[in-house]
Amino acid sequence: MPRDPHTLLKQAEKKLSGGDGFWGFLSDKSGSDSDGADLLEKAANAFMAENSFVEAGKAFEKLAAVYRDKLELDSSAAGAAGSAIEAYVKAGDAAAAARCFELLRSPALKKGQSNRVDRYGRLLAGLYEKTLGDMKSASLCYDAIAEEYESNHNPHNARKNRIQAAATRAIYFAQLVTAGTNPHESAKDLKYVERTLMKLAQDSYNTNEMLFRLGVVYLITGDSNDYDKAAAPAAPAAASVAAQATAAGSAAGTLAEEANAALDAQTRLDYGFTRSREGALVRDLAAALKADNLPQFVKLVMQYPGTNEESKAWNETMLMLAGGYKWKGNAVKAEIERQKRQPFEDSQNEGQQQSWGNQPPPQQYSQPQYQSREHAQYPPEKQGANDLEPDVPDANEWA
């Protein structure tokens, strides 16, 4: 069997087209399609082995169509679509990977396979987020994964992906605001972030972290009124969700229910948040921005530990965007570098200012408490001419 992927691909196409010579029309078509699928899979794997990821993706994508349309093997079609996504992601072809992701999410293929949608959806989201910097598309991927989990009654994993969807959309919103472009688009994304984070905050799990993120989002715009919103973010977010429901009118449906729940919860959420560590941090950040106090702002950014690495990275990204919008140019980065150097410079300055002639005398340690055998101090009545002789009692003492 030839190992060249191009040769395998040609053989697969010949099988799938029924081109088996004069007697091809008499052969079993399903057998020909099955053989063609096998050859396609071998060709795709051979392309992967050669790191020809685009060609591999095309072969896997065609294989998925053969499994679905000709052989009616939906599970195999889903597996081939996932392999195509993986190949296209390695090639950096987001459009092709997204096309295969939609194929994977089709009702015939997914059939409750939430884990498969999660795995390949995250691959695609990672390509958008980490490689291409397309936060809006990454957010849509996480949303799609969350919807899949919700349809299969898995709220924990759905919530996890909703958090990432809101996080990436918030960064996209911040990028639009700080770039000064498309205010209408940024307003739509802000509404999405408010609605999503407000809904997440109403769960008992990690409420203050969600409200903290919402508060940070309000710090982005550079507007003094939004700085005030950041300190108690549940109330303005609830008002935003209610306004969205009102605008939707009779079509609001679930949105109207979310609005009512948000309005009912806003006071309770803000009350707890303002007394939390996260609430204090947002208030301090807002105060530093209002007072145009760059050193204090940077100090707060550097001190926030985050609940995990992802949380800390998101916080730093958002606050760097907020600071960069407030203080133009590289002022924030320069201040961060200055504060990182400050402890070292302070220690050097202290060392240079210290007078080495006035050093305190070395510490006087006490003498050891033990005595050597050679200098043992015997009682006076026992000492004789030879102090080293053992003290042997007189024979009369034994009488």
Side-chain angles (χ1 to χ4, degrees):
M1 179 67 67
R3 297 295 179 183
D4 176 59
H6 296 283
T7 302
L8 290 168
L9 193 59
K10 288 180 181 179
Q11 291 178 348
E13 291 172 350
K14 184 177 179 181
K15 284 283 186 182
L16 293 170
S17 64
D20 286 330
F22 179 76
W23 301 104
F25 71 96
L26 295 176
S27 62
D28 182 6
K29 190 69 173 69
S30 63
S32 179
D33 289 338
S34 180
D35 291 342
D38 289 341
L39 289 167
L40 261 180
E41 185 173 9
K42 290 177 181 178
N45 288 326
F47 279 127
M48 288 292 286
E50 293 181 354
N51 293 335
S52 300
F53 299 122
V54 172
E55 289 80 2
K58 290 178 180 178
F60 278 124
E61 188 175 1
K62 188 170 185 178
L63 177 62
V66 171
Y67 278 136
R68 182 192 60 183
D69 301 332
K70 294 189 175 184
L71 299 176
E72 298 181 353
L73 298 173
D74 292 336
S75 180
S76 297
S83 297
I85 293 170
E86 190 170 0
Y88 283 135
V89 166
K90 288 183 177 180
D93 191 340
R99 183 175 63 244
C100 293
F101 184 58
E102 290 305 311
L103 173 63
L104 181 64
R105 292 182 62 217
S106 62
L109 267 62
K110 64 180 183 180
K111 290 185 177 178
Q113 295 291 329
S114 301
N115 291 338
R116 183 175 278 164
V117 174
D118 188 332
R119 175 186 174 187
Y120 294 111
R122 283 180 169 275
L123 279 178
L124 179 57
L127 174 63
Y128 283 126
E129 182 180 355
K130 308 296 184 183
T131 305
L132 303 178
D134 185 350
M135 296 299 175
K136 179 73 172 285
S137 297
S139 176
L140 294 174
C141 284
Y142 290 125
D143 259 339
I145 299 169
E147 289 172 5
E148 179 64 24
Y149 276 122
E150 286 170 350
S151 67
N152 286 281
H153 309 289
N154 189 333
H156 174 75
N157 284 331
R159 174 188 170 82
K160 180 176 66 175
N161 284 281
R162 290 292 184 199
I163 290 174
Q164 290 189 278
T168 47
R169 189 70 66 88
I171 293 176
Y172 178 68
F173 160 74
Q175 290 171 340
L176 290 178
V177 170
T178 55
T181 58
N182 203 343
H184 178 68
E185 182 71 16
S186 64
K188 290 194 300 182
D189 288 296
L190 176 59
K191 291 177 182 177
Y192 168 87
V193 173
E194 288 174 320
R195 177 185 175 185
T196 305
L197 288 178
M198 188 61 184
K199 186 177 179 182
L200 290 167
Q202 292 174 65
D203 297 339
S204 59
Y205 174 74
N206 221 2
T207 294
N208 287 333
E209 173 69 16
M210 296 301 102
L211 291 175
F212 172 76
R213 293 190 178 199
L214 189 54
V216 169
V217 168
Y218 286 136
L219 295 178
I220 291 294
T221 63
D223 186 287
S224 180
N225 292 328
D226 287 341
Y227 292 161
D228 294 334
K229 291 180 183 179
S240 173
V241 178
Q244 294 176 52
T246 301
S250 59
T254 303
L255 181 57
E257 296 176 3
E258 291 181 19
N260 291 331
L263 291 171
D264 290 341
Q266 60 180 339
T267 302
R268 170 179 59 84
L269 293 177
D270 277 338
Y271 180 83
F273 181 68
T274 54
R275 286 157 177 76
S276 68
R277 179 194 65 168
E278 293 86 353
L281 176 59
V282 169
R283 286 196 303 274
D284 291 344
L285 286 165
L289 287 166
K290 271 188 171 183
D292 202 17
N293 190 339
L294 175 58
Q296 177 65 9
F297 177 82
V298 168
K299 182 179 179 181
L300 292 167
V301 172
M302 294 174 65
Q303 285 180 347
Y304 178 63
T307 55
N308 52 48
E309 288 301 318
E310 183 271 333
S311 172
K312 185 176 182 180
W314 181 88
N315 178 62
E316 290 179 352
T317 299
M318 290 291 288
L319 291 176
M320 286 292 290
L321 286 168
Y325 191 54
K326 174 73 174 179
W327 296 283
K328 305 301 182 183
N330 294 320
V332 177
K333 290 183 179 180
E335 179 61 23
I336 288 175
E337 293 302 318
R338 188 194 70 79
Q339 291 196 20
K340 285 181 178 178
R341 295 193 307 266
Q342 192 66 40
F344 176 72
E345 292 176 352
D346 289 346
S347 64
Q348 280 193 325
N349 292 335
E350 289 176 4
Q352 292 172 358
Q353 294 171 3
Q354 189 172 12
S355 174
W356 293 101
N358 297 324
Q359 291 295 309
Q363 182 176 355
Q364 299 296 320
Y365 294 98
S366 60
Q367 295 298 319
Q369 298 300 310
Y370 68 89
Q371 293 179 337
S372 66
R373 183 179 296 272
E374 289 79 7
H375 297 88
Q377 299 296 315
Y378 297 101
E381 64 273 12
K382 298 295 183 181
Q383 293 183 6
N386 189 355
D387 290 339
L388 297 180
E389 291 182 359
D391 184 16
V392 179
D394 189 271
N396 294 327
E397 295 181 13
W398 297 98

